[in-house]
Amino acid sequence: MKRTLLMAAAVISALASCNRENSAVNIPDEKFNVEVSLMGVDLSVSTKASDVTPTATESAYRTASILVYDKATGVLESYKDWSGSSVSFTLNKGTKLFYGVVNGGSDIAQKSGTVKDLLANTASLKSDLDGFLMIGCQEVTVSGKSSFTISVKRAAAKFVFKDVKLNFDSPALSSQNFTIVGVLVINAAGDISYDAVQNGLSTFQPSLWYNKRKFEQSDCDRYLYAGGINKTVADGTVASVGKTLYAYPNFTVTDTHDASWSPRKTRVCLECTIGGETVYYPVTLATVEPNHIYTINSLTVTKKGISDPDGEWDDAGATGSITIADWTDGGSYDETL
């Protein structure tokens, strides 16, 4: 009898143990509602750095997605399209990386199963012709119902050329006709990885360059060359240029003027004629960073320009300043030419 009771007790104990194990296995994961929105997409307001009204392209987006990755594994958990209002996710408890990608294409999630995959994608200036690539990330620990905003930033940089003052130091030059023909960007980078945009990787090396040392017709001309100004300027007067151009970041450290092409600094060049001869006034940018505006304020020209837009230029021939600002928040600082 005693033996039977002991066996019965053992069976009951084993069943209780199984029930506890099954109970632990069957406890559902904790899930929470998270509302996410994007900031930086509404580009209808001009920044402090530029008085130039944003163009329709600057304000446009074709596609926008919010992608959620588990921070520990880097694996994509969920994604949704964004269309102007916040989107809702129901997510397991844990630390997540929320990425906002604007104008990255409708298939961005299919190409980005992990964070590493996402950041390995490449943005191109050509794709930006229909709307600028923007990306942003927010790390959030999901432990309850919450809402937050991801701030996105552009891969491209913007160049604004405002006006020119003519003040020749030579009577021989002041007596000749001076005409502003156009503005161009040379040594312009044409691609960048999402990783370099998001994390500011200055080690990124572009594989695509436009206007290497001079104007070269391409599919991105409307971002890299503004011609047809044809404005004659009298000595001692100021003329408005008011042109806006774009290129991708250029972190090249060492500059060169060699005739044989190699990566070098980006230059914004004023194209003019003096007495019918074409000359250039290049402004070399120390670096070009994503999501920045480079505004060339009133440029005072005192000497004849050079025939080669990528040639060595005596900076004393033109003076002025560049206002460098964040494209989104308008914070700025000046550099003197």
Side-chain angles (χ1 to χ4, degrees), residues 119-128 133 155-157 187-197 201 203-210 219-220 224 246-252 261 263 266 288-290:
L119 297 180
N121 283 305
T122 301
S124 71
L125 189 64
K126 182 179 178 180
S127 293
D128 276 9
L133 183 282
N187 312 328
D191 64 350
I192 190 170
S193 70
Y194 285 21
D195 195 8
V197 177
L201 301 181
T203 54
F204 178 81
Q205 297 293 321
S207 62
L208 178 63
W209 293 86
Y210 291 100
D219 47 21
C220 290
L224 298 170
Y246 310 90
Y248 265 22
N250 182 1
F251 301 105
T252 303
W261 165 257
T266 296
V288 177
E289 298 185 57

Side-chain angles (χ1 to χ4, degrees), residues 59-132:
S59 303
Y61 67 91
R62 306 181 309 279
T63 62
S65 302
I66 297 175
L67 303 94
V68 186
Y69 295 88
D70 178 76
K71 184 183 178 183
T73 64
V75 174
L76 180 67
E77 286 190 7
S78 185
Y79 67 92
K80 289 189 177 181
D81 293 335
W82 179 89
S83 59
S85 57
S86 62
V87 296
S88 178
F89 292 92
T90 301
L91 300 169
N92 293 330
K93 183 177 181 179
T95 302
K96 318 291 180 183
L97 296 174
F98 291 80
Y99 278 89
V101 181
V102 180
N103 294 327
S106 58
D107 61 344
I108 187 64
Q110 285 68 45
K111 299 187 298 182
S112 308
T114 67
V115 171
K116 184 177 180 180
D117 294 336
L118 173 67
L119 297 180
N121 283 305
T122 301
S124 71
L125 189 64
K126 182 179 178 180
S127 293
D128 276 9
L129 293 172
D130 296 319
F132 289 92

Side-chain angles (χ1 to χ4, degrees), residues 33-37 86-89 145-149:
N33 181 262
V34 180
E35 295 282 334
V36 188
S37 57
S86 62
V87 296
S88 178
F89 292 92
K145 184 177 180 180
S146 62
S147 63
F148 63 92
T149 300

Side-chain angles (χ1 to χ4, degrees), residues 235-254:
D235 193 33
T237 65
V238 177
S240 173
V241 178
K243 294 297 182 181
T244 300
L245 299 171
Y246 310 90
Y248 265 22
N250 182 1
F251 301 105
T252 303
V253 175
T254 304

Side-chain angles (χ1 to χ4, degrees), residues 29-337:
D29 291 333
E30 292 183 273
K31 292 183 179 291
F32 303 98
N33 181 262
V34 180
E35 295 282 334
V36 188
S37 57
L38 298 180
M39 179 176 68
V41 179
D42 183 1
L43 310 177
S44 59
V45 180
S46 183
T47 69
K48 299 174 186 176
S50 171
D51 295 329
V52 179
T53 302
T55 66
T57 302
E58 290 178 5
S59 303
Y61 67 91
R62 306 181 309 279
T63 62
S65 302
I66 297 175
L67 303 94
V68 186
Y69 295 88
D70 178 76
K71 184 183 178 183
T73 64
V75 174
L76 180 67
E77 286 190 7
S78 185
Y79 67 92
K80 289 189 177 181
D81 293 335
W82 179 89
S83 59
S85 57
S86 62
V87 296
S88 178
F89 292 92
T90 301
L91 300 169
N92 293 330
K93 183 177 181 179
T95 302
K96 318 291 180 183
L97 296 174
F98 291 80
Y99 278 89
V101 181
V102 180
N103 294 327
S106 58
D107 61 344
I108 187 64
Q110 285 68 45
K111 299 187 298 182
S112 308
T114 67
V115 171
K116 184 177 180 180
D117 294 336
L118 173 67
L119 297 180
N121 283 305
T122 301
S124 71
L125 189 64
K126 182 179 178 180
S127 293
D128 276 9
L129 293 172
D130 296 319
F132 289 92
L133 183 282
M134 293 178 255
I135 186 171
C137 178
Q138 186 79 23
E139 179 180 322
V140 174
T141 298
V142 175
S143 58
K145 184 177 180 180
S146 62
S147 63
F148 63 92
T149 300
I150 303 171
S151 179
V152 295
K153 59 184 177 183
R154 298 163 196 77
K158 176 178 177 176
F159 311 103
V160 179
F161 206 120
K162 298 187 79 170
D163 51 46
V164 173
K165 180 178 181 180
L166 206 57
N167 190 24
F168 282 130
D169 56 11
S170 164
L173 289 175
S174 61
S175 64
Q176 297 186 56
N177 286 337
F178 181 91
T179 301
I180 300 172
V181 176
V183 180
L184 66 155
V185 181
I186 64 171
N187 312 328
D191 64 350
I192 190 170
S193 70
Y194 285 21
D195 195 8
V197 177
Q198 175 59 33
N199 297 311
L201 301 181
S202 60
T203 54
F204 178 81
Q205 297 293 321
S207 62
L208 178 63
W209 293 86
Y210 291 100
N211 288 350
K212 293 182 283 189
R213 301 194 65 249
K214 62 183 179 180
F215 174 72
E216 298 173 323
Q217 192 169 18
S218 73
D219 47 21
C220 290
D221 284 352
R222 68 183 173 93
Y223 275 5
L224 298 170
Y225 181 71
I229 298 176
N230 300 328
K231 186 174 291 187
T232 300
V233 187
D235 193 33
T237 65
V238 177
S240 173
V241 178
K243 294 297 182 181
T244 300
L245 299 171
Y246 310 90
Y248 265 22
N250 182 1
F251 301 105
T252 303
V253 175
T254 304
D255 198 15
T256 180
H257 299 277
D258 290 348
S260 178
W261 165 257
S262 62
R264 60 196 66 196
K265 303 286 188 182
T266 296
R267 311 186 212 286
V268 180
C269 303
L270 184 70
E271 179 185 12
C272 306
T273 60
I274 297 179
E277 178 185 352
T278 299
V279 296
Y280 298 90
Y281 296 89
V283 176
T284 298
L285 301 173
T287 188
V288 177
E289 298 185 57
N291 202 59
H292 277 63
I293 301 177
Y294 298 81
T295 303
I296 300 172
N297 301 301
S298 186
L299 188 71
T300 301
V301 172
T302 60
K303 299 181 184 299
K304 184 178 180 179
I306 55 178
S307 59
D308 178 4
D310 197 46
E312 295 191 60
W313 164 243
D314 179 5
D315 289 344
T319 59
S321 67
I322 303 175
T323 300
I324 303 173
D326 186 283
W327 196 343
T328 303
D329 65 23
S332 64
Y333 62 94
D334 287 347
E335 285 190 1
T336 301
L337 300 176

